[in-house]
Amino acid sequence: MRQRSLVILTSVLTTGALTLTACGSRNNDSKGGDSGNITVTIGVDAPLTGQNSATGLGIQYGAQIAVDDANKNKTVPGVTFKVKALDDKAIPATGQQNATQLVAEKDVLGVVGPLNSGVATQMQQVLNTANMVQISPSNTAPELTQGKDWQTKKVRPFKTYFRTATTDALQGAFAADYAYNGLHKKKAFVVDDKQTYGAGLSKIFKDQFAKQGGKVIGTDHVSVGDRDFSTLVTKIKNSGADILYYGGQYDESQVLTKQLKDAGAKIPLFGGDGMFTPTYIKTAGKNAEGDLATSIGVPVDTLPAAKDFVAAYKAKKYPGDYGTYGSYSYDATTAIIKAVGQVIKDGKLPDDARAQVVDAVQHNSFDGISGKISFDEFGDTTNKQLTVYQVENGAWKSVKSGVATPK
């Protein structure tokens, strides 16, 4: 029996007519209809279950909608796109296994993801060795693009790695400025979850808050999965801090803020984009009121270009949170779509398609649904927009948008 040709692109697509005979595994998650003789599967690496899954699912379905749009608009004549999502469970070793699995498929041309910076550290080398493009819609740790010594000398470690999210160097500074000058807080207690993202973000906040004139009067750490914060709560309450800054994900911070407020410490908890999800408010309840979080970009619901994306996500009743990274996943996928289209010649992919896709992504520039999409010499997005959100009447409300620069 004759089988349709299949190209697996991990969160990757093509533009232009394509004639290619390849092998791979079929995945039927996509709702897109047939538009030709070639099937291009887009894979996504993110936590789809367990820790951080609300935001991970937003990444998966952001890519799915980009695929559906490509099929509907016949972006690549003769090609049908599908999505293959891999669950890394927010575990670095699992992300590395997923990267290895994708590289082993000779027709995989690129990857969108992961959600977590710690997972990215284990995927980058695998994908770079294979000359496979990787675009994360959410990683914010500066060292991923600028090297471990980024504060003194920036050196790009992997030419294949890109991101549509701005870095913690800017996010931490933006939060520190708002805490000191916007909220007029002078004494901060800083806690992190000891992970790449959380520890890095909290360190930047501490440095920038002190430079603004504030005082960090206490620091501590929690472990991923912790649920009893009674000892920490007592320490924070007795410290005299007027704000708690938390570096980490919503899974722990939503419990910490509830226990902190229940203990009578009526100070706001301020965190990064890993906290910015409706799940945080749902779990913490009324104790979330007044808490704050920074997130990349501006509110997706306010972006005219994202109107159709938001409508599609809601209409299809996709699970997860589209508001945090969904639009950035859509744009990351589109960046690879455009790049693959540029490397196709005479309806065929060249033998070194992976390497050519990397080069095309580096030089691409287009208007995405989240804003202008282009990358600098480190693979970082040129869109440095950030927003501070605060919980008001049970919902995240934008209180300040702008661009931050470290002092």
Side-chain angles (χ1 to χ4, degrees), residues 67-88:
V67 163
D68 291 342
D69 285 349
N71 288 332
K72 177 182 177 182
N73 299 327
K74 301 186 187 303
T75 302
V76 184
V79 177
T80 297
F81 299 110
K82 293 187 178 182
V83 167
K84 179 175 182 177
L86 301 180
D87 183 7
D88 62 33

Side-chain angles (χ1 to χ4, degrees), residues 3-8 19-24 38-39 106-107:
Q3 292 184 327
R4 181 170 297 172
S5 300
L6 174 63
V7 180
I8 298 180
T19 302
L20 182 65
T21 300
C23 303
I38 306 300
T39 298
K106 66 179 181 180
D107 300 311

Side-chain angles (χ1 to χ4, degrees), residues 329-371:
S329 179
Y330 183 104
D331 285 340
T333 303
T334 301
I336 304 177
I337 293 173
K338 292 179 177 294
V340 175
Q342 291 167 6
V343 308
I344 291 175
K345 297 294 185 291
D346 299 322
K348 298 179 181 179
L349 285 172
D351 292 339
D352 63 342
R354 286 179 174 177
Q356 288 198 35
V357 166
V358 172
D359 185 65
V361 167
Q362 181 67 70
H363 295 95
N364 260 346
S365 178
F366 63 95
D367 291 324
I369 65 171
S370 65

Side-chain angles (χ1 to χ4, degrees), residues 134 155 203 240 298 315 348 383:
Q134 176 184 13
V155 177
K203 182 181 185 304
V298 296
K348 298 179 181 179
N383 183 354

Side-chain angles (χ1 to χ4, degrees), residues 16-196:
L18 177 61
T19 302
L20 182 65
T21 300
C23 303
S25 58
R26 185 176 297 276
N27 183 289
N28 295 316
D29 289 343
S30 173
K31 300 297 189 286
D34 287 343
S35 61
N37 297 321
I38 306 300
T39 298
V40 175
T41 300
I42 301 176
V44 175
D45 180 89
L48 309 180
T49 59
Q51 292 278 340
N52 315 154
S53 58
T55 42
L57 289 167
I59 289 175
Q60 175 186 354
Y61 290 106
Q64 180 68 65
I65 294 173
V67 163
D68 291 342
D69 285 349
N71 288 332
K72 177 182 177 182
N73 299 327
K74 301 186 187 303
T75 302
V76 184
V79 177
T80 297
F81 299 110
K82 293 187 178 182
V83 167
K84 179 175 182 177
L86 301 180
D87 183 7
D88 62 33
K89 303 181 188 298
I91 299 172
T94 304
Q96 184 179 51
Q97 293 168 4
N98 290 345
T100 301
Q101 174 185 335
L102 295 165
V103 165
E105 297 283 351
K106 66 179 181 180
D107 300 311
V108 174
L109 298 184
V111 177
V112 164
L115 166 69
N116 306 88
S117 292
V119 176
T121 63
Q122 301 303 305
M123 296 180 68
Q124 287 179 304
Q125 182 67 65
V126 175
L127 298 173
N128 190 74
T129 300
N131 281 324
M132 187 181 296
V133 71
Q134 176 184 13
I135 307 180
S136 172
S138 55
N139 294 163
T140 53
E143 58 264 34
L144 295 174
T145 50
Q146 300 170 19
K148 60 184 180 64
D149 298 320
W150 63 271
Q151 290 177 303
T152 55
K153 183 180 181 181
K154 296 180 180 180
V155 177
R156 185 176 186 176
F158 302 105
K159 68 177 182 179
T160 57
Y161 179 87
F162 301 82
R163 54 179 155 201
T164 50
T166 195
T167 74
D168 289 334
L170 299 182
Q171 185 174 196
F174 198 63
D177 176 75
Y178 189 76
Y180 188 80
N181 296 306
L183 299 175
H184 305 294
K185 302 298 184 182
K186 307 303 180 185
K187 296 180 291 183
F189 198 103
V190 179
V191 176
D192 68 71
D193 63 0
K194 297 182 284 190
Q195 302 299 301
T196 301

